[in-house]
Every structure is written in structure tokens, then in C-alpha cells.
Amino acid sequence: NIFMIEKKKTELYQELGLQARDLRFQHVMSIATRNNRIIMRMEFLKAVITPEFLLILDYRNLSQEHWLLNELASQLAGEGQLVTYSLPFEFRAIEAILQYWISKLQGRLNTLQPQILETLEVLVDPKLLSVDRSKLHILLQNGKSLSELETDVKVFKETILEILDEEEVIEELCLSKWTDPQVFEESTSGIDHAEEMELLLENYYRQAEDLLNEARELRVLIDDSESIIFINLDSHRNVMMRLNLQLTMGTFSVSLFGLIGVAFGMNLESSLEEDPRIFWLVTGIMFLGSGLIWRRLLSFLGRHLDPPLPPHVPAVLKKSQPAAGRVEIKTNLKGETFGLSRSTLTNQ
């Protein structure tokens, strides 16, 4: 049965037997017990669990309202996929809230993952000579959202881990065991209720651990993709710098032999300007000398920029090295086994 009530805070904590600070709204994550009541804070979701009912305080989230009206009732009635449907009511309530919260975290990751992968696929393309700033902005926003998700999952894990480390708190979470210990001594599987509660919390702790590992893998993928992007940009930048250097060397070569034309172009009288073949001769010398100098500079550039080839290893050495390695390993093993010195075995 689902119904909505409006009460003053003072009336509510008096009826529940709690204190005012127990109903304080805080954006924290905690699971605590007080006066046979379980108080669960999951940031904007706050609930009070008793052996008879589940009280959700001041819900104003649309997705939370959908969960309350369409999913929670069937889960608590045993019609959903809860593992604890055969256990007392507080087990089903705790599992329903934990399942809702872990599904919210998983949904956030499922929304971020395709967006990040699509953005990285575009940015890592080696054919691109520049990086789209709009894609970088999208990647930055998704990276921030992923960091927030990782923080929320870590807090969720730490909250459950604090309870798993305290056996007394696990015992206090089994409300029905304290109200009617004879009826609720053991579950249908023959396991004590405290152990059932511990198994329940461990299950969601493992789910949070798996979720955090997926987020970490996505974070590593982003870091690796950033390295690839920088490598691609550096590669294109090196190509442009090399082209610029080649053009600079060509300009230097032309300018060097252009001094010949400058010398002949001065307003000085000589017998050479009367011969029409001198123009073609000087022009040919200029272009030929410029080409030779430029080619010489390019070969010098290639020798100093291209990576050197690995040294050639003769075939005889390639075959002899593994055999020598095996002999050395065997002698060492014999020396260690029988207590003999390495030099004695080598001499033998």
C-alpha cells in the first residue's frame, strides 16, 4: 500500500521515536540504526525503515517518483527481482533502495560511455591535422561527469564497507530479529539473519566495485587517447616544421647563387654584357649551383633526422646466443643445487 502524508517534523520524529537530527536533510550517504529504526541517506534519497513500513521523506525527483509509484511497491511485495523476497520486510526495503541507487549510478555510466567513446573516436583519427575545439569541450564536460560518478561510487562503497567492518551494526540492521527473535531466528536457507544481511551488503559492494572498475577503465581510455592525440599533433607539427626547414634551405640556396646575378646586374660596363650567351650561362650556373646546394642540405637533414637502422647481427651469432644462454642457465642451476661455485662449473 502506497500513500502520501504531510506532517510536521516534530510530530514525525516523535512518532518514530527518533531525534530531530535523524531527520535532518543532508546530501551525504550513510546507513545507521536508532531505536529499532534504519535511517538511510543516499544524497537526495532519504528513507526510514521499520519492521512494518518504509518511509521515503520529501521526494521531489521525477525519476524517484516514477520508481516509488511503479516499481517499489511490486518489489516490496515480492513480485520484483529482489533476492530477499522470502526474508523480513527490512531486508526487502534495504535491497530495493540499494538496487535503485546502484541502477542510478549504472545509468549514468551507460549515458557517459557512448558519448566519450564517440568523441574519442573522432579525436584520435590520425588523418586530422587539427583538433575540433567543440569535441574537446564535450570531452572535458564528460570527463568532469565521469569524475563525479567515480566519487559517488567510491562514497557508496565506503559506506557499505563501514557497515561490513562492524558486526554490531549488521546485527542492528536485522530489525525483526530483535522484535520477535523466536519467529525470525533463521532464514529459510538455514542462515542467520545477520549473515544474510552481510551477504546482501557484500553483493552490492561487489556491484559498486565492478562499476568503479568500468569507470576507471574509461578514465584510462581517455588518458591514453589524449596521449595519442598529442602524438598525432606532434607528428603533423614535425611534418610542417620539416617542410618549413626544406623551404628555408631552398631559399638560402637560391639567395646564395643569386649573388652572381646581382653582381652582373650592377650598372658596370664590361665586355660580357655584349655577348648574348653570357646571360644563359650565368643563369644556368645560378640554378645548377642552387640545386646542388639544396640537395646537399637535404641529404644532411636526412642523415640527422631519420632514425638510424638497427645494426646487422650475423646469422652465426643469432644461433649461438640462445644456446649460450641455455648453457649458462644450466650451469647456474647446477651450481645452486649442489653447492658448487660458478667458476668451477664453467671450467669443467
Side-chain angles (χ1 to χ4, degrees), residues 98-215:
L98 294 179
Q99 186 180 21
Y100 167 75
W101 193 254
I102 201 72
S103 63
K104 292 284 291 184
L105 297 176
Q106 184 68 48
R108 290 168 58 185
L109 180 61
N110 294 337
T111 303
L112 285 174
Q113 187 171 9
Q115 297 178 0
I116 293 176
L117 294 179
E118 182 181 359
T119 306
L120 293 178
E121 185 178 0
V122 176
L123 293 175
V124 176
D125 190 359
K127 298 180 181 179
L128 296 178
L129 299 178
S130 61
V131 179
D132 190 359
R133 293 185 178 180
S134 60
K135 296 295 183 180
L136 288 178
H137 181 71
I138 295 175
L139 183 62
L140 178 61
Q141 296 296 330
N142 291 334
K144 292 181 179 179
S145 301
L146 184 62
S147 300
E148 295 175 357
L149 176 61
E150 290 178 350
T151 303
D152 293 340
V153 176
K154 289 179 182 178
V155 173
F156 181 77
K157 279 183 52 183
E158 292 174 357
T159 302
I160 297 180
L161 186 60
E162 290 177 359
I163 300 176
L164 292 175
D165 293 338
E166 299 291 338
E167 296 182 0
E168 297 180 357
V169 178
I170 296 178
E171 292 280 349
E172 293 175 356
L173 292 177
C174 305
L175 303 180
S176 300
K177 185 177 181 180
W178 300 100
T179 55
D180 195 353
Q182 295 180 355
V183 178
F184 299 101
E185 183 66 28
E186 291 184 354
S187 62
T188 56
S189 59
I191 303 177
D192 186 76
H193 281 175
E195 297 180 0
E196 290 281 2
M197 183 64 69
E198 185 175 359
L199 293 175
L200 173 64
L201 296 176
E202 286 181 354
N203 179 29
Y204 284 95
Y205 179 82
R206 288 193 298 268
Q207 292 186 28
E209 181 69 25
D210 296 338
L211 186 60
L212 185 59
N213 291 334
E214 294 180 8

Side-chain angles (χ1 to χ4, degrees), residues 264 271-285:
F264 280 94
S271 60
L272 296 178
E273 68 270 7
E274 297 178 358
D275 191 349
R277 294 173 297 180
I278 295 299
F279 171 76
W280 299 108
L281 179 61
V282 173
T283 304
I285 294 174

Side-chain angles (χ1 to χ4, degrees), residues 283-299:
T283 304
I285 294 174
M286 288 172 54
F287 279 100
L288 181 61
S290 301
L292 291 176
I293 291 296
W294 188 45
R295 189 65 181 174
R296 186 69 177 177
L297 292 175
L298 288 180
S299 62

Side-chain angles (χ1 to χ4, degrees), residues 258-270 273 279 282 286:
L259 295 176
I260 300 175
V262 173
F264 280 94
M266 291 188 297
N267 296 325
L268 299 177
E269 295 181 358
S270 63
E273 68 270 7
F279 171 76
V282 173
M286 288 172 54

